[in-house]
Amino acid sequence: MKENPNILFVCIPTLPLDLLRESFAGESPHPQILTTPLGILYLSAYMKKNNDIGKVGLLDYNAFLPNIVNYTKIEEYLLAEIDNQVKFEPDIIGISYMFTTSYSFFEVMIPIIRKRWPKALIVVGGIHATNYYKLLLASPNIDIVVRGEGEIAFTELIKQYSNNTHGKIRGVIHKDDVADELHALTVSDQITNLDELPLPDWDLCAMERYATSTGRRRSIGDTLTKRIASIMTTRGCPFKCTFCAAHSINGRKLRFRSIDKVMEEITALNKRYGITLIDINDDLFNAKKDRTILLLKKFKALRIPDLELQIPSGLYVNLLDKDIIDAIIECDIKIVNFAVESGSAYVQKNIIKKNVNLDKAKELVKYCRSKGLTVRCFFIFGFPDETKDLMEETVNYIKELKSDWCTFFIATPLKGAEIYDEFLKRGYIQENMELLSSLFLRDRTFDTKEISAVDLQEFIYRLNLDINFVNNPNFGDGDFDKAIDLFNDILSVYHFHIFALYGLYLSYIGKGAQQEAENILHRIKLLVQSNEQSKEMYHKYKDLLPTRLIEN
C-alpha cells in the first residue's frame, strides 16, 4: 500500500515476435504500424484527474521497436529499454494487451517485468486480456486483469490500493476471483459521457516518434510528409458482425464525444505538436448523419493550414449517403474507405451478419470517384462455411465495383468474435496460444473443408495483384495521376514491389511520358536481378503480367 503510488504503463507491439526483427530489417511483408496509443493516453489522463498519484511513466516497446535491431537477443532489448525509459520504481504496472498476435512478445517480456519489479502490482487489460483472463491469471507474473474499458475500473483499483482497502470492482479480476464466475465475467463500468475524459496524456509518450511515423495513413499527394495523430470521437458499435471482437472493450452501446471536445483535441494537437493529419480511430464514425456532417463542417471551420482528416477504419455503407459524401468533399478529405467485407449477399446475411447494401456501395463508390475522391474498399475471405463459389461472387462484385483500391484480409478467429467459436466448434482451431498467436489478418495457418490455408493465401495474393495492380480501374478511366499516387503509396512501404512499379510504368505510358516509363522499367529489371523478394515475386506471378517487357 502507498498513498500516492507510482504508475508505469507498458505498450507492446502487435506483430508476432518472429516478424519483428524482419520488419525493421526491411524483410517482412508485415511492417509494424505505429499509431498513437490512445487507450493508454486516455487512461492516464483520467487516472490523473481522479487519483492522487506519484510518478507516471510509459515503457513503450512499440515506439522504440526499431532499436531491436541493435541486439542479438530479445531479452537484451527488453532490459535495455527498461533502463532507457524508466527512471523510477513503479508500484502499479498497467500493461495494454490488445491482440493475441502479441503473445510471443508478451510471454518473453512478462517474467522480465516481474523480476525487475517483484513487489509491483501487475495489471493487464485490453481485448486479449478481457477474453483470456483465466489464462493470464494462471501466470505467477500477473496479479490482476481488467476486463473491458479501463478508466473507471483502474481508477477505483488505484483508490483501493492507496487506501489499503479491498472490495469487488466490476471488471477487476484478481486471481482468487476466477472461481467466482459471476464476478469474473463482469466487465468494467463504462464512461457514459465521453466528455468526462480529459484530453489524452500526450506528454506520456514519445509524440515525435508517433507524429512522424507512417501510421495508418494513406499517402496521397503530400500526406506522407504530414505529422499524424489519432483521435477518438465515439466508442461502441451496436452491430454484431461475426468477425469483430471490439465490443469486448467498448461494448455495443454507442457513445459520442461532443463535437466541441473533438475540435478542442484537434486544435491542441496542432498547436502543441504541429499535427496536420488526423486519423479518426472510431469503430463507427458515421453512426449519425447530422452529427457526422456537423463534425466535418466544424473541422473545416478550424481553418488550420494543411489540416487533413482520414478515417482508416472505414465508413459503414448502410448509414452513408451523398449528403455525407458532399460534406467529406467540402472538408477536403482525399480518401474514403468503405468496409464492404463481402460481395456476396448470402455471406452478408447468413455468415458475417453485416448486411451491407451492396447495390448502394456500388452507387456510392461511383459517386465518390466522380467527385475526385480516392475510394478504398475492404474485403475479407475465408469465413466458416464460405465456399469457393461464394468467394467468386465477391470477386465478380469487386470487378463491377471499380473501387480505386481494394484491401483484402483473411478471416481471423479473434476470441470474443462469433467466428472464433465457429472455427473452434468445427475443430479447425484449438485454444492453443502458440497457434492462435500466429494467426494474422493476411495469414492462415489452418485448413477448412472449403479451402486450404495455402490455397486461401495464394487466392488472395493473386487477387490483390490482379485487381489493384494489373487491372487497376484508373487505367481504364484514364486517371493516371491517381494511379501513380496509389502505386507510390505501396512503394513507400514495399520498395521491392515490382507490380507497383509495373503499375507506374503503365501509368506513365498512359500519360505519354515515355522516358519516365523507361526509367521505371529499368528499375524493375534491376530489382529482379538484385533483390530476392522482387525476383521471387516476378517468377511466381509473371503470368499475370500482360506483356513480357521485363524479359526483353
Side-chain angles (χ1 to χ4, degrees), residues 4 100 156 260 293 302 324 372 387 434 530 538 549:
N4 300 304
T100 303
E156 290 303 311
D260 287 344
I293 292 174
L302 290 176
I324 297 177
T387 64
E434 294 288 347
S530 61
Y538 175 67
L549 285 178

Side-chain angles (χ1 to χ4, degrees), residues 70-83:
N70 299 324
Y71 303 93
T72 57
K73 295 181 179 179
I74 182 65
E75 292 84 356
E76 294 174 354
Y77 162 72
L78 293 168
L79 286 166
E81 289 305 319
I82 289 174
D83 291 336

Side-chain angles (χ1 to χ4, degrees), residues 40-84:
I40 289 176
L41 302 188
Y42 279 121
L43 177 56
S44 178
Y46 189 83
M47 174 193 70
K48 289 179 178 179
K49 176 184 175 183
N50 292 281
N51 293 104
D52 294 323
I53 51 177
K55 296 177 180 178
V56 180
L58 173 62
L59 175 55
D60 196 342
Y61 284 119
N62 202 25
F64 291 89
L65 196 54
N67 295 347
I68 200 171
V69 297
N70 299 324
Y71 303 93
T72 57
K73 295 181 179 179
I74 182 65
E75 292 84 356
E76 294 174 354
Y77 162 72
L78 293 168
L79 286 166
E81 289 305 319
I82 289 174
D83 291 336
N84 292 337

Side-chain angles (χ1 to χ4, degrees), residues 155-189:
T155 295
E156 290 303 311
L157 176 62
I158 292 172
K159 287 178 180 177
Q160 287 192 0
Y161 181 92
S162 300
N163 298 326
N164 197 25
T165 58
H166 303 279
K168 290 191 182 297
I169 303 168
R170 283 184 57 84
V172 176
I173 317 301
H174 298 254
K175 288 183 182 296
D176 55 5
D177 289 327
V178 172
D180 179 6
E181 196 163 280
L182 280 178
H183 177 68
L185 290 176
T186 63
V187 293
S188 56
D189 290 330

Side-chain angles (χ1 to χ4, degrees), residues 474 478-488 507-508 511:
N474 287 293
D479 197 344
F480 299 110
D481 287 331
K482 182 187 281 188
I484 288 170
D485 279 341
L486 290 167
F487 297 130
N488 278 328
S507 300
Y508 284 123
K511 285 171 63 74

Side-chain angles (χ1 to χ4, degrees), residues 536-550:
E536 180 183 358
M537 179 180 284
Y538 175 67
H539 288 294
K540 190 171 183 179
Y541 300 109
K542 63 183 178 181
D543 61 289
L544 291 174
L545 297 172
T547 72
R548 297 292 180 182
L549 285 178
I550 297 173

